[in-house]
Amino acid sequence: MSFPKILLVIVISLAFFTGLAWQKTNTLSNRSNFNTSPTNIRVIDNSNSEKVRPTANPTSIPTQKVVLQQAGWRKVKSWSGNGIMTTGQFAISSKQWRINYTLSPSKTGYAQLQVFVYTPQQDYAVESPIFTSTPGNGTSNIYRSGTFYLKILGMENWTIEVEELI
């Protein structure tokens, strides 16, 4: 027997014995999930001819229906302006949320945006996620839940959007 044929026989044997081991480790209650319809096994003998024979008790891996909720972002609030603003309070129930911002370019060549996150219980910022002088778009992630408000310090036109992970 040539090397490729020996390798093929080894691979088929391993697949067969692995399937038997899998079937023996499952309980009878799990057997209802198995596919019990007859299947065929291809066997190559010494005469280089391929024969097909049906199996009496095929094994297959049980399948489970898994339903995953696709993660996404839900818009909570948005604001736009030019200058300084203190927003109203908003609630975040997720452990992750983000602030998306847009800062417009100025005619003078200078623009700046700072955003501070506060909680109603404290008079100091708990986060300072955005500090930029580069016009354009950006995002900053925050990893805490609760009730918050923002203090926005901007030069030139800006837009702020708060989204939470769902």
Side-chain angles (χ1 to χ4, degrees):
M1 200 184 295
S2 68
F3 179 74
K5 288 181 186 177
I6 292 172
L7 183 60
L8 181 61
V9 169
I10 291 171
V11 169
I12 291 172
S13 298
L14 285 174
F16 178 75
F17 289 117
T18 303
L20 284 178
W22 170 261
Q23 186 178 17
K24 288 180 182 178
T25 59
N26 287 301
T27 63
L28 289 175
S29 63
N30 287 339
R31 288 185 187 266
S32 62
N33 292 336
F34 283 95
N35 179 7
T36 57
S37 61
T39 59
N40 296 327
I41 294 179
R42 297 184 185 275
V43 178
I44 300 175
D45 63 10
N46 289 338
S47 64
N48 287 334
S49 63
E50 184 176 4
K51 297 178 183 177
V52 177
R53 66 179 173 145
T55 61
N57 191 10
T59 58
S60 64
I61 298 173
T63 60
Q64 294 179 350
K65 185 176 182 180
V66 177
V67 178
L68 296 175
Q69 181 180 4
Q70 184 175 5
W73 295 94
R74 179 184 67 85
K75 180 179 174 182
V76 176
K77 295 274 186 176
S78 65
W79 305 270
S80 59
N82 182 334
I84 299 171
M85 174 189 278
T86 299
T87 69
Q89 295 180 7
F90 55 92
I92 301 292
S93 57
S94 174
K95 292 192 188 252
Q96 181 180 355
W97 54 287
R98 67 185 180 187
I99 300 174
N100 300 318
Y101 68 88
T102 301
L103 180 59
S104 299
S106 71
K107 295 176 184 161
T108 63
Y110 185 77
Q112 187 171 6
L113 180 64
Q114 292 178 298
V115 178
F116 301 95
V117 178
Y118 289 82
T119 64
Q121 297 82 19
Q122 296 160 325
D123 60 350
Y124 57 88
V126 294
E127 299 274 348
S128 179
I130 299 169
F131 182 83
T132 185
S133 58
T134 306
N137 302 322
T139 298
S140 183
N141 290 297
I142 300 171
Y143 300 93
R144 61 171 71 202
S145 58
T147 301
F148 304 96
Y149 66 94
L150 305 177
K151 286 192 179 177
I152 304 166
L153 308 171
M155 299 179 102
E156 299 305 324
N157 294 326
W158 49 261
T159 300
I160 300 290
E161 179 182 64
V162 172
E163 296 177 312
E164 76 175 314
L165 185 65
I166 55 171

